[in-house]
Amino acid sequence: MRHIAIIGSGPAGYYTAEAAQKHFAKDDHEDVRVDIFDMLPVPYGLIRFGVAPDHQSIKGVSRRYEKVALTDNVRFVGNVCIGKDITIPELQELYDAVVLATGAPNDKQMGIAGEDKANVFGSAAFVGWYNGHPEFAELAPDLSGKNAVVIGMGNVALDVARILSKTEEEFAGADIVAHALDALREANPETITIVGRRGPHQIMMTPKELGELGALERASPRVDSDDLPEEAEDALLEPGMRKSVNHLRNFAAITEDEHAQKPIAVHFDMFASPTEIIGDGKASALRVERTKVETGRAVGTGEFYDIPADLVVACIGYRSSPIPGVPFDERMGRFANDEGRILTGIYCVGWARRGPSGTIGTNRPDGYSVVDLIAEDVSNGTLGRANKQGRDGFDALANERGLDVVTFQDWKKIEEAETAAARKGAPREKFVNVESMIGAVS
Ligand code: NAP
């Protein structure tokens, strides 16, 4: 019997568990037991707290993870914080392999003056707030201003701009948490400016997500046609990117009369690199330097201007959280690893391995390849003999330490309570703090 501890119950964690199950179930292999740890009492990580609340079809992938979770050789061990309740060396004593699937939960910093002013947030915090992450439930962004700025030209920037733009009716069927819906209901934005330091051919936005911005009830996307390269140059782009740029071209063709029918203007301000957040304690504007793109890089031109900004949300990427004793690549913001191997018996997968890129599905091959590494290390003897205690050992330790472990069956009770509390048409009303999640179990 081999024992695997996976730290993190998001997509990378569950795909790794699924892969381990499939691999070790083959006749010529030892059996396997997988424990998936999460510091929160609820599973699914990014699916619950990162994927936009109005993208329920994407969240539906959790049903696949549930199938894995409900098998005998995989279990969810929630409400256990690695590094506090149990250390990595202790896990290594108990399990043959420890896989870090901890994602990239922290905001990358812009490193500009004024970043610490009030009403300036990173997307981890802001998205966590509207998705009910307990760490950010109290964020209380002030949405009363007329002008919001969203920095970055990726899908997270699109999520944030879209959430700020939607009417209450457009949130029908979404699991946006009540505190965010209440705040958005009171908000009355006039402009939302999406700021990109490079141009249309360098955006990271995917076509489907960009297309959604063109179909909002009360918001109209505005692209300056002067920012667009010659149409013939689009031929050099890969097909998905060409579709995205085509959306920008369509936005640029929207007439003033059409714009006038919608009260919110979503401006794309490209070739603009943030240099400072202006404001007396609280943000009032974003200063940017006009750029030009040279061999793919944004180069400053020395021309500066200010974009009014009562709210700033920087959607510029994420970093993983280091764990004491585990080598960390500070520059890349992820664990130092060789294709998933960190140290003997310690592996990483998903965003913790490669950084915050790709779709949810990208984590599937990642999960399968880390299991291949583990299997290789089992068969070449690197992981030693099969004599670890696995979950029995963990249970004894959890008992000794009085840990309040949340099981998958407990989670199902939390889920049931959230479903029962849902407003009309919504799939659930999430608990936004750990105490109420635990309360629903008992
Ligand atoms: P992303 O796709 O990497 O985009 C980050 C953006 O931030 C880029 O435009 C980047 O510009 C810009 N940026 C980085 N540092 C900057 C700085 N210092 N100043 C100004 N701009 C800066 O990251 P993301 O939007 O956070 O998304 C993360 C991953 O999740 C992506 O793979 C994304 O596709 C995925 N995701 C998918 C969906 C979906 O499918 N619906 C939804 C959300 C997220 P440069 O290119 O110039 O560096």
Side-chain angles (χ1 to χ4, degrees):
M1 176 78 73
R2 292 292 176 169
H3 301 277
I4 301 177
I6 296 174
I7 319 303
S9 69
Y14 270 104
Y15 285 123
T16 304
E18 179 188 286
Q21 225 178 21
K22 288 200 175 147
H23 182 93
F24 286 91
K26 287 181 200 148
D27 290 346
D28 56 336
H29 286 108
E30 297 168 85
D31 202 356
V32 70
R33 292 285 179 274
V34 180
D35 281 358
I36 305 183
F37 291 87
D38 204 296
M39 64 192 292
L40 289 174
V42 293
Y44 308 140
L46 184 90
I47 303 297
R48 181 176 167 108
F49 297 117
V51 172
D54 56 345
H55 280 172
Q56 287 299 314
S57 60
I58 301 181
K59 287 185 193 265
V61 72
S62 63
R63 284 193 286 278
R64 175 177 177 146
Y65 307 152
E66 178 165 319
K67 273 197 193 151
V68 176
L70 289 171
T71 49
D72 288 341
N73 55 357
V74 175
R75 69 174 192 174
F76 174 68
V77 188
N79 202 31
V80 175
C81 183
I82 307 307
K84 182 171 147 262
D85 295 325
I86 182 167
T87 64
I88 294 282
E90 285 171 332
L91 284 174
Q92 284 194 280
E93 282 290 308
L94 297 172
Y95 296 85
D96 295 283
V98 175
V99 183
L100 305 176
T102 48
N106 305 316
D107 281 307
K108 197 179 122 184
Q109 299 294 303
M110 286 185 286
I112 61 173
E115 203 168 352
D116 55 350
K117 289 197 194 299
N119 236 25
V120 178
F121 306 102
S123 52
F126 196 77
V127 171
W129 170 72
Y130 64 63
N131 265 332
H133 192 295
E135 197 183 332
F136 304 111
E138 308 289 328
L139 196 74
D142 178 359
L143 306 185
S144 64
K146 298 284 174 222
N147 304 300
V149 161
V150 179
I151 302 171
M153 290 270 167
N155 282 331
V156 174
L158 281 177
D159 281 347
V160 170
R162 189 180 70 254
I163 296 292
L164 287 172
S165 303
K166 278 195 163 180
T167 61
E168 182 165 12
E169 292 68 38
E170 286 173 289
F171 284 112
D175 66 351
I176 186 163
V177 292
H179 64 229
L181 193 57
D182 291 345
L184 288 162
R185 193 185 292 119
E186 297 303 314
N188 218 354
E190 287 174 5
T191 71
I192 298 167
T193 307
I194 302 178
V195 175
R197 60 183 172 184
R198 298 191 291 156
H201 277 192
Q202 288 83 32
I203 59 171
M204 302 294 282
M205 298 161 165
T206 46
K208 182 170 164 289
E209 285 64 30
L210 198 47
E212 280 179 79
L213 207 63
L216 295 171
E217 286 283 321
R218 61 169 183 177
S220 189
R222 287 171 174 260
V223 170
D224 186 341
S225 51
D226 289 346
D227 284 343
L228 292 163
E230 290 295 322
E231 204 163 341
E233 291 177 32
D234 292 0
L236 299 170
L237 301 172
E238 59 88 15
M241 188 61 188
R242 208 178 309 141
K243 277 191 194 159
S244 288
V245 174
N246 206 35
H247 279 303
L248 296 182
R249 295 194 183 281
N250 291 339
F251 296 165
I254 297 174
T255 65
E256 279 309 317
D257 280 351
E258 287 168 320
H259 283 311
Q261 288 163 27
K262 298 192 178 177
I264 303 175
V266 180
H267 292 281
F268 281 79
D269 202 333
M270 290 179 267
F271 303 105
S273 184
T275 59
E276 185 179 350
I277 291 165
I278 315 283
D280 187 10
K282 187 172 178 218
S284 62
L286 174 73
R287 183 156 298 162
V288 295
E289 181 177 12
R290 177 62 71 215
T291 63
K292 55 187 176 180
V293 173
E294 283 177 3
T295 52
R297 288 172 53 92
V299 180
T301 60
E303 181 200 338
F304 294 82
Y305 60 98
D306 293 350
I307 304 169
D310 308 296
L311 166 74
V312 177
V313 186
C315 308
I316 60 165
Y318 303 108
R319 293 170 62 83
S320 298
S321 292
I323 298 178
V326 182
F328 195 76
D329 183 336
E330 280 295 339
R331 196 176 65 82
M332 300 301 284
R334 54 170 149 85
F335 293 103
N337 72 93
D338 179 13
E339 299 289 321
R341 280 193 181 94
I342 304 180
L343 296 170
T344 304
I346 307 185
Y347 307 82
C348 57
V349 66
W351 283 9
R353 176 181 81 78
R354 60 175 208 277
S357 65
T359 64
I360 287 159
T362 314
N363 296 298
R364 188 172 180 275
D366 250 28
Y368 279 71
S369 67
V370 79
V371 167
D372 285 346
L373 295 183
I374 294 170
E376 196 180 307
D377 291 349
V378 164
S379 60
N380 67 20
T382 306
L383 297 184
R385 300 226 318 274
N387 59 2
K388 302 275 175 148
Q389 293 176 47
R391 55 177 66 166
D392 290 346
F394 172 77
D395 288 349
L397 193 138
N399 206 19
E400 207 178 283
R401 293 186 182 169
L403 303 184
D404 193 3
V405 173
V406 171
T407 65
F408 200 79
Q409 285 64 35
D410 293 335
W411 147 246
K412 292 302 285 180
K413 289 186 198 160
I414 299 173
E415 188 182 43
E416 207 175 291
E418 291 188 336
T419 309
R423 65 184 168 274
K424 199 167 171 288
R428 64 189 66 80
E429 183 60 52
K430 292 178 191 168
F431 292 113
V432 300
N433 61 61
V434 169
E435 294 72 38
S436 44
M437 291 169 184
I438 303 277
V441 174
S442 49

